[in-house]
Amino acid sequence: MSSIFDTIHHRLSQAIQCTDIPEDVFNGLRYPEKTLAVNLVIRRDDRSFVNFKAWRCQYDSSRGPTKGGIRFHPSVCMDEVMHLAFLMTIKCAIAGLPFGGAKGGVCVDVKKLSEHELERLARAYIKAFASMVGPDKDIPAPDMYTGGAVLAWMADEFDRIQGKKYRAALTGKPVAMNGSQGRIEATGLGGYYVLNTMIESGLCSGESLKIGFQGFGNVASFCARYLAEDGHRIVAVSDSSACLFCAEGLDVEALIRYKDEQRRFSDYEQEKVEVLEPAEVLTIDCDILAPAALADQIHKDNAGQIKASVILELANAPVTEEADSILQDNNVVVIPDVLANSGGVIVSYFEWVQNRTGDYWQKEYVFERLRKQIEKAAADVVCCKEEYQVESLRTAAYILALKEIAEVIMAKNVK
Ligand code: GLU
């Protein structure tokens, strides 16, 4: 079994060897700066006690205070939190944000908690990690199963602990609690902008595309909506219960309404829509496949069966290292997570700026700034690919990030 650090080190060396920067400059990126593991104990509504393992990892702060979401999921473990914190480090550098990378997580199935229990868990989490958090230290945000409500409880609890109103200590807060307009749409919209930039740069064709989404949560649903509005066909979507397929294109708005009612795709009934096994979404006949669920979904055993010519990584780390080389051999273009899903953290940065200046922006302005910032990041990755003559966009993205990080490290240290 290879450890997450084998993956991290491999991704790093692949990029470093293309540059003339000495490898030891990046020794700080070989292991996280700080990871704290805690045991959170809360009371259930029936007054019994229950405990959950939780983590916060600050991977690298060379470029600024660390930034990254908090994931509530039963599969979360310390290795995953560290890996995701590493990806945030790379992501923030590519997007040109003045942040390092961090991530948090709790091993919990939120579907088994009442709303009050979830609130107690959110408050317990921020209490446990309060000493690590702050607008100039580490700024948490949402991730899987932590939306505006969870962030609102955390922000409120953080202020209570500090005895002061810290608006910029957490992002992804509801608009009513000084959150940013457009944060909810940001990750899906960012993915849409990135795909369009890649189409314009000739990396993939852009005419009436057939697209499949693995997962249909916040990120996939917004991205699907914007693509469908442009006339592309969303031919397949999945959740953990089923994959829905319709060659003529699914009704995205109807699917969003269906999911808002907390219903499973396995119960979906609609003429012309086939209900398949969840994993079938990955091998469906489509042009673009957008994995928007968990990590490691495309691996050595299924990578060879992928029919799409482009993979838009809306999830973090959905393609394993082994799958990457199989896809490369099959000429499948992978638009990497560290670019494709960076819209969320970009708008989190806008929220942090708005919180610090007290100047709040309209949604249209947020979207326009997001478009400019993410299109620049995508164009920079494409330039890097050409300049360094590398095969994959992932390696190009890592080269771009490492150059940014190295510049700061060199500026801080005597030659
Ligand atoms: N959790 C998101 C990500 O993986 C957003 C992080 C943030 O907004 O800080 O990029």
Side-chain angles (χ1 to χ4, degrees):
M1 263 291 271
S2 68
S3 85
I4 53 133
F5 291 105
D6 293 336
T7 307
I8 291 174
H9 297 165
H10 180 79
R11 299 265 200 235
L12 284 175
S13 352
Q14 252 180 342
I16 297 168
Q17 69 194 20
C18 303
T19 71
D20 51 11
I21 309 168
E23 190 149 0
D24 61 296
V25 169
F26 300 108
N27 278 353
L29 289 182
R30 299 183 78 82
Y31 202 68
E33 277 175 22
K34 190 186 208 176
T35 309
L36 183 60
V38 301
N39 187 23
L40 301 178
V41 181
I42 61 157
R43 266 200 203 270
R44 281 211 181 266
D45 294 343
D46 66 6
R47 309 304 291 154
S48 64
F49 291 103
V50 59
N51 70 305
F52 302 98
K53 289 182 193 153
W55 302 269
R56 182 79 188 163
C57 169
Q58 297 172 343
Y59 201 96
D60 181 75
S61 64
S62 310
R63 300 185 65 262
T66 49
K67 183 92 194 75
I70 301 167
R71 177 172 293 201
F72 282 7
H73 195 272
S75 71
V76 170
C77 62
M78 188 160 91
D79 268 4
E80 185 185 42
V81 171
M82 293 192 292
H83 185 197
L84 294 170
F86 167 77
L87 292 178
M88 287 307 300
T89 308
I90 302 293
K91 201 185 292 187
C92 290
I94 293 169
L97 308 179
F99 296 135
K103 199 80 175 196
V106 180
C107 178
V108 59
D109 185 352
V110 294
K111 291 176 186 153
K112 294 187 180 148
L113 297 184
S114 73
E115 213 184 351
H116 281 117
E117 290 166 348
L118 183 61
E119 176 180 349
R120 287 198 279 277
L121 182 61
R123 290 183 186 274
Y125 182 92
I126 206 68
K127 196 171 164 205
F129 296 101
S131 64
M132 287 171 88
V133 170
D136 294 307
K137 273 191 196 172
D138 179 18
I139 307 124
D143 198 83
M144 287 175 84
Y145 292 102
T146 52
V150 167
L151 267 295
W153 293 320
M154 287 184 176
D156 180 56
E157 187 67 21
F158 187 73
D159 286 355
R160 209 185 53 76
I161 294 164
Q162 306 293 344
K164 182 167 163 180
K165 299 287 178 198
Y166 269 106
R167 296 201 168 93
L170 296 104
T171 60
K173 306 177 293 288
V175 172
M177 277 188 69
N178 308 295
S180 178
Q181 294 284 351
R183 178 63 184 81
I184 295 171
E185 297 91 332
T187 314
L189 180 59
Y192 163 80
Y193 288 145
V194 168
L195 181 62
N196 283 341
T197 310
M198 292 301 164
I199 291 171
E200 274 159 35
S201 69
L203 266 148
C204 45
S205 114
E207 288 303 305
S208 126
L209 298 167
K210 288 182 285 170
I211 305 161
F213 285 88
Q214 185 198 33
F216 204 64
N218 165 277
V219 179
S221 57
F222 278 110
C223 192
R225 170 179 282 171
Y226 298 120
L227 288 165
E229 279 171 7
D230 281 356
H232 300 302
R233 262 179 298 160
I234 312 304
V235 292
V237 297
S238 73
D239 65 7
S240 57
S241 72
C243 162
L244 303 181
F245 176 74
C246 176
E248 289 166 25
L250 294 155
D251 179 347
V252 173
E253 295 307 317
L255 292 175
I256 293 174
R257 284 195 300 275
Y258 184 82
K259 272 289 163 197
D260 280 348
E261 291 163 14
Q262 316 289 333
R263 297 171 68 189
R264 293 150 56 90
F265 282 153
S266 52
D267 300 325
Y268 195 81
E269 279 176 45
Q270 182 78 48
E271 220 191 324
K272 294 189 187 158
V273 174
E274 281 177 66
V275 180
L276 311 172
E277 287 301 311
E280 289 185 76
V281 72
L282 298 172
T283 52
I284 221 92
D285 180 22
C286 62
D287 304 304
I288 314 267
L289 175 65
L294 288 166
D296 301 335
Q297 298 299 297
I298 301 173
H299 42 75
K300 66 173 182 1
D301 301 322
N302 61 12
Q305 296 153 38
I306 284 172
K307 299 190 188 71
S309 53
V310 174
I311 293 183
L312 179 69
E313 291 189 327
L314 294 178
N316 285 312
V319 175
T320 67
E321 228 183 294
E322 286 159 316
D324 242 355
S325 38
I326 298 171
L327 295 168
Q328 182 89 51
D329 292 345
N330 294 348
N331 294 319
V332 179
V333 175
V334 178
I335 306 176
D337 48 5
V338 285
L339 170 66
N341 69 29
S342 62
V345 72
I346 292 175
V347 175
S348 270
Y349 163 62
F350 296 163
E351 181 172 332
W352 183 80
V353 171
Q354 292 170 76
N355 289 160
R356 306 199 98 179
T357 57
D359 178 19
Y360 286 85
W361 311 346
Q362 305 269 325
K363 195 184 261 189
E364 294 68 32
Y365 184 65
V366 170
F367 285 176
E368 189 50 22
R369 285 201 55 161
L370 167 61
R371 190 180 61 73
K372 284 196 183 132
Q373 189 129 3
I374 208 162
E375 281 181 359
K376 180 180 181 308
D380 287 350
V381 169
V382 174
C383 275
C384 246
K385 185 176 182 296
E386 278 154 26
E387 188 184 338
Y388 290 87
Q389 295 286 305
V390 288
E391 296 281 329
S392 83
L393 285 169
R394 193 184 318 276
T395 306
Y398 275 69
I399 294 174
L400 176 65
L402 293 179
K403 278 172 56 187
E404 296 289 324
I405 296 168
E407 215 175 306
V408 181
I409 295 174
M410 296 317 282
K412 285 183 193 166
N413 292 281
V414 180
K415 279 230 170 75

